Amino acid sequence: AAPASVAAGNELTFETLVLNPDSKRATIAGSDISLTKKEFELLYHLLSRPGKVFSREELLSLIWPDDANVLERSVDVNIARMRKKLSHYANHIVSRSGYGYCFKEILSE
């Protein structure tokens, strides 16, 4: 599988999954995926650094920077919702128990 890459204009691609931060569109094989703003931002951060494990605290500070009342569970809830919309790409959003989440390019069987 080709590694995730940043194309022109900060667009992120992984196989047929494309995230465009300018238009805030996410597509799989050209079909729109309706992600919320937070889901889009989570996926964008994870996809921008494949293999990097982001802690819940990191994700909270990146995606909810001004909201001190957001709980770490918000990250889990948004990841779970996002996974439901990503069809087979959901498997690439990997939980690292006790650490956080990462986007894994190559899945071991």
Side-chain angles (χ1 to χ4, degrees):
S5 64
V6 178
N10 297 328
E11 194 173 78
L12 292 180
T13 60
F14 175 73
E15 297 175 2
T16 65
L17 173 63
V18 178
L19 291 184
N20 185 317
D22 297 332
S23 65
K24 306 298 185 213
R25 284 183 66 210
T27 59
I28 292 177
S31 299
D32 279 317
I33 320 164
S34 59
L35 298 176
T36 66
K37 181 177 189 280
K38 299 300 186 195
E39 290 165 354
F40 183 91
E41 290 177 16
L42 274 168
L43 185 56
Y44 190 83
H45 283 294
L46 292 171
L47 194 55
S48 69
R49 302 274 309 274
K52 177 189 179 345
V53 176
F54 287 88
S55 69
R56 287 176 180 83
E57 294 82 10
E58 277 180 288
L59 292 169
L60 284 173
S61 67
L62 286 166
I63 294 160
W64 290 270
D66 304 320
D67 197 338
N69 300 321
V70 175
L71 303 172
E72 288 186 6
R73 289 289 307 153
S74 300
V75 174
D76 302 339
V77 168
N78 277 276
I79 293 268
R81 278 198 216 122
M82 179 181 67
R83 278 180 174 147
K84 287 184 181 141
K85 299 174 182 179
L86 290 179
S87 73
H88 65 285
Y89 289 114
N91 299 332
H92 289 274
I93 309 293
V94 179
S95 309
R96 291 280 178 248
S97 188
Y99 295 103
Y101 296 95
C102 71
F103 186 88
K104 195 167 179 207
E105 294 179 2
I106 297 157
L107 296 173
S108 49
E109 295 305 316

